[in-house]
């Protein structure tokens, strides 16, 4: 059974990860982990920290005083990897300062590049997403001068029994499954995260309950394709898991990501509609509006199926916010295909979208299709969809003016510390005045009347 760590102050420079029953070692090594990429990686970092916690390591949130620096990486697009290579180059500075420093690469890039990463003099250890239990052992060996690699993918590893180390007290990420079996032809994830496997149903419900008891206000269930969640023992699917969580913690907000249109069942949409505490926001990646491209991408459904799922969502939850992922410049994409995507966006009217230009990934099927769309064309199509989406987001957000949103208070606004920010049920950032008379604190639910809106945020006053 999972137990939650005592909440720590993330502002503190050095956070002791010690439980009272673990003896505190003098001069114990300090661990610093930096996370790139998706939310799964954020939770994976917490898992690695949880594993190291058990072994008696302490955690620091700056590389300056660290004895171990681990970089949890992303390999989804070439520019994500470039950024990490640059960061690794910067880390040479710390290694010069401290000859005994251990540097490790974790995550999808570790899995993809394997021993090639050890060619970098700086890197001591390379550990893939299914080998996080071996982090302490490899770190210890690295302290003894032995470099190491662990990149085996597993069919069963779900880290079900590992207590993730969480530092923030409002929102928690909970991985419910790992890996992906969809094999979209552009995507490296099935190669870096391996086969799909689900965590035990009861352990997830228990973790969500413990998070509520520990004071968390919101939980996001995570997986590459949560809709295909299936607990082998109980036979429970994702809709059933979501229902069980919603019932177990009726005062906690529940979110989930990511969905695949093929597996987005009626039952799931009905369950979302039934429970007030399941947030009315769905991230439903479409990738392209063209059937020809969807087929080449192996998305396993025609666009008509996608439209039908959207119609069902809008029918059962008229106010539900929607977002998506779109790729421009997939091999052979014509202007006609691109226009089909533009058209789709106008019909669905997403609240938001994550938009990318196609990046060829070695080992994937699309890699063999060539990369025939010139970069300039990929970028101009990308700019066109971004521009259109901004306009749609702006129009949708204008319609919220005058409405009252229930907002979970997150704290001072990132842009202007004189204002505060929070999140609406529909996952929109809401800005409101700083709290002068202590009428609300971080983690409270408050009502905000929206006065203004941009394409990215709603701005209002507390009522
Ligand atoms: N190039 C560009 N975008 C990609 N994505 C996944 N693989 C690639 C790629 N090779 C995008 C998809 C996916 C999101 C997580 O990243 O849109 O939904
Ligand atoms: Fe990649 Fe497709 Fe799996 Fe998403 S569903 S992780 S895009 S292979």
């Amino acid at each position: 059974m999972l137990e939650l760590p005592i909440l720590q102050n993330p502002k503190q420079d050095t956070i002791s990860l010690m439980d009272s029953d673990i003896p505190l070692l003098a001069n114990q090594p300090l661990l610093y982990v930096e996370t790139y990429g998706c939310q799964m990686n954020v939770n994976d970092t917490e898992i690695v920290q949880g594993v190291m916690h058990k072994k008696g390591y302490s955690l620091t949130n700056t590389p300056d005083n660290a004895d171990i620096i681990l970089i949890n990486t992303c390999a989804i697009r070439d520019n994500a990897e470039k950024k990490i290579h640059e960061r690794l180059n910067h880390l040479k500075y710390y290694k010069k300062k401290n000859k005994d420093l251990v540097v490790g690469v974790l995550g999808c890039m570790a899995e993809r590049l394997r021993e090639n990463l050890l060619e970098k003099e700086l890197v001591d250890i390379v550990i893939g997403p299914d080998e996080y239990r071996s982090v302490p052992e490899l770190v210890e060996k690295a302290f003894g001068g032995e470099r190491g690699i662990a990149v085996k993918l597993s069919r069963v590893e779900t880290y079900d029994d590992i207590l993730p180390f969480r530092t923030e007290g409002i929102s928690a990420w909970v991985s419910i499954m790992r890996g992906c079996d969809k094999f979209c032809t552009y995507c490296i994830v099935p190669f870096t995260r391996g086969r799909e496997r689900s965590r035990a149903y009861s352990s997830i419900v228990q973790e969500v309950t413990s998070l509520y008891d520990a004071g968390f206000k919101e939980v996001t269930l995570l997986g590459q394709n949560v809709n295909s969640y299936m607990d082998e023992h109980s036979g429970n699917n994702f809709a059933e898991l979501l229902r069980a969580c919603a019932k177990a913690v009726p005062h906690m907000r529940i979110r989930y990501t990511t969905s695949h249109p093929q597996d987005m069942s009626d039952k799931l949409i009905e369950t979302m509609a039934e429970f007030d505490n399941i947030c009315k926001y769905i991230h439903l990646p479409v990738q392209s509006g063209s059937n020809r491209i969807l087929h080449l991408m192996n998305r396993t459904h025609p666009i008509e199926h996608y439209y039908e799922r959207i119609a069902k969502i809008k029918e059962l939850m008229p106010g539900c916010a929607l977002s998506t992922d779109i790729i421009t410049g997939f091999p052979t994409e014509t202007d006609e295909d691109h226009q089909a995507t533009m058209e789709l966006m106008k019909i669905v009217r997403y609240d938001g979208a994550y938009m990318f230009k196609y990046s060829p990934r070695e080992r994937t099927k699309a890699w063999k299709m060539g990369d025939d769309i010139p970069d300039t064309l990929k970028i101009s199509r990308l700019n066109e969809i971004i521009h259109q989406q901004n306009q749609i987001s702006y129009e949708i957000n204008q319609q919220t003016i005058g409405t009252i949103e229930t907002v979970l208070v997150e704290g001072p606004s990132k842009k202007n510390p004189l204002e505060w920010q929070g999140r609406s049920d529909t996952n929109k950032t809401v800005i409101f005045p700083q709290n002068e008379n202590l009428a609300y604190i971080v983690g409270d639910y408050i009502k905000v009347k929206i006065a203004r809106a941009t394409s990215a945020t709603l701005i209002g006053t507390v009522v």
Side-chain angles (χ1 to χ4, degrees):
M1 159 169 169
L2 284 165
E3 229 176 86
L4 286 163
I6 296 152
L7 299 183
Q8 308 287 348
N9 176 3
K11 301 254 160 29
Q12 256 176 275
D13 220 34
T14 303
I15 303 161
S16 171
L17 280 173
M18 292 302 187
D19 273 346
S20 50
D21 55 343
I22 302 175
L24 218 112
L25 306 169
N27 300 324
Q28 54 187 311
L30 282 178
L31 167 70
Y32 169 72
V33 192
E34 200 165 279
T35 311
Y36 293 83
C38 63
Q39 290 140 345
M40 285 290 283
N41 262 9
V42 174
N43 190 231
D44 277 1
T45 289
E46 293 169 344
I47 287 169
V48 170
Q49 290 170 335
V51 169
M52 293 295 271
H53 167 214
K54 251 191 147 168
K55 293 283 174 188
Y57 286 87
S58 281
L59 184 70
T60 169
N61 55 16
T62 161
D64 295 326
N65 60 356
D67 302 292
I68 310 143
I69 298 180
L70 302 178
I71 307 289
N72 194 359
T73 62
C74 170
I76 197 103
R77 283 170 290 275
D78 188 49
N79 57 6
E81 288 199 2
K82 281 209 175 101
K83 211 162 106 187
I84 291 157
H85 280 298
E86 274 169 29
R87 181 61 181 146
L88 285 171
N89 280 338
H90 284 149
L91 292 183
K92 284 183 187 152
Y93 158 82
Y94 295 99
K95 198 105 181 188
K96 261 195 206 137
K97 254 189 11 182
N98 172 8
K99 290 268 176 298
D100 299 324
L101 176 73
V102 169
V103 173
V105 179
L106 314 177
C108 287
M109 213 171 139
E111 192 62 48
R112 196 180 86 77
L113 296 174
R114 303 177 165 218
E115 45 283 320
N116 294 337
L117 281 167
L118 288 176
E119 282 165 19
K120 283 184 183 270
E121 227 176 278
L122 164 94
V123 177
D124 301 296
I125 49 182
V126 175
I127 307 175
D130 285 348
E131 294 265 29
Y132 294 149
R133 288 177 200 270
S134 60
V135 174
E137 191 189 327
L138 286 167
V139 165
E140 264 160 50
K141 283 188 179 160
F143 277 134
E146 197 182 319
R147 299 167 89 200
I149 178 163
V151 287
K152 242 172 79 195
L153 288 171
S154 158
R155 285 190 175 264
V156 291
E157 180 62 273
T158 59
Y159 301 113
D160 208 22
D161 57 321
I162 300 222
L163 170 63
F165 183 83
R166 298 185 169 97
T167 52
E168 193 241 312
I170 311 173
S171 295
W173 309 108
V174 173
S175 296
I176 63 163
M177 61 181 309
R178 300 182 70 84
C180 183
D181 286 351
K182 285 287 184 226
F183 285 94
C184 300
T185 57
Y186 50 81
C187 186
I188 194 71
V189 168
F191 302 93
T192 59
R193 286 190 168 268
R195 297 289 57 74
E196 197 174 279
R197 67 219 97 116
S198 297
R199 253 182 83 182
Y201 173 86
S202 53
S203 132
I204 298 167
V205 178
Q206 219 163 52
E207 183 174 359
V208 168
T209 310
S210 317
L211 285 165
Y212 177 72
D213 293 341
F216 282 84
K217 304 289 179 179
E218 180 179 81
V219 71
T220 305
L221 306 179
L222 291 177
Q224 248 70 43
N225 171 19
V226 290
N227 312 142
S228 66
Y229 172 88
M230 172 55 69
D231 180 38
E232 272 178 14
H233 299 290
S234 63
N236 284 311
N237 63 23
F238 183 59
E240 284 148 353
L241 174 70
L242 198 60
R243 161 181 291 275
C245 292
K247 276 186 153 174
V249 289
H251 301 296
M252 198 178 195
R253 273 186 177 175
I254 299 172
R255 303 184 183 277
Y256 65 86
T257 199
T258 288
S259 296
H260 190 293
Q262 184 64 53
D263 304 323
M264 185 92 206
S265 68
D266 279 357
K267 196 85 207 138
L268 174 56
I269 303 170
E270 284 159 14
T271 306
M272 284 185 77
E274 187 183 332
F275 290 91
D276 280 346
N277 62 326
I278 304 178
C279 291
K280 301 300 177 276
Y281 164 66
I282 301 178
H283 181 64
L284 196 59
V286 66
Q287 317 298 354
S288 168
S290 151
N291 266 333
R292 195 181 70 81
I293 295 293
L294 286 179
H295 182 68
L296 287 176
M297 286 177 162
N298 188 35
R299 287 294 286 175
T300 71
H301 64 84
I303 199 66
E304 289 74 18
H305 170 79
Y306 189 88
Y307 279 125
E308 191 270 323
R309 291 294 75 194
I310 294 286
K312 186 81 187 174
I313 292 166
K314 291 190 173 182
E315 178 199 331
L316 296 191
M317 295 179 288
C320 186
L322 289 163
S323 67
T324 198
D325 291 341
I326 295 173
I327 299 175
T328 64
F330 186 80
T332 78
E333 187 188 64
T334 62
D335 268 332
E336 201 184 322
D337 297 319
H338 171 62
Q339 286 312 322
T341 302
M342 292 284 284
E343 201 48 38
L344 162 102
M345 295 168 76
K346 278 190 243 170
I347 294 171
V348 176
R349 290 182 65 81
Y350 296 102
D351 292 74
Y354 300 87
M355 296 161 278
F356 314 101
K357 68 175 178 139
Y358 171 66
S359 168
R361 308 313 283 141
E362 223 172 327
R363 292 178 76 191
T364 63
K365 268 199 175 161
W367 173 263
K368 298 186 197 92
M369 297 177 197
D371 184 19
D372 61 330
I373 309 299
D375 212 43
T376 47
L377 188 54
K378 283 183 191 172
I379 293 170
S380 72
R381 285 178 183 163
L382 180 64
N383 285 338
E384 232 181 290
I385 62 167
I386 290 175
H387 180 76
Q388 174 168 276
Q389 182 54 48
N390 283 345
Q391 182 60 33
I392 293 171
S393 298
Y394 179 79
E395 286 165 14
I396 291 178
N397 288 349
Q398 291 305 301
Q399 286 165 5
T400 65
I401 293 175
T403 63
I404 292 174
E405 300 280 335
T406 303
V407 175
L408 175 58
V409 178
E410 291 175 342
S413 142
K414 287 189 186 106
K415 285 194 186 137
N416 177 1
L418 294 178
E419 291 172 328
W420 274 36
Q421 72 172 45
R423 206 154 286 274
S424 73
D425 180 64
T426 51
N427 206 32
K428 296 186 194 236
T429 301
V430 182
I431 305 289
F432 44 93
Q434 191 185 27
N435 185 12
E436 276 165 1
N437 49 5
L438 292 179
Y440 46 87
I441 56 166
V442 173
D444 274 356
Y445 288 106
I446 58 169
K447 300 274 184 198
V448 176
K449 186 165 185 186
I450 307 305
R452 285 188 302 123
T454 68
S455 60
T457 38
L458 313 182
I459 304 122
T461 48
V462 183
V463 294

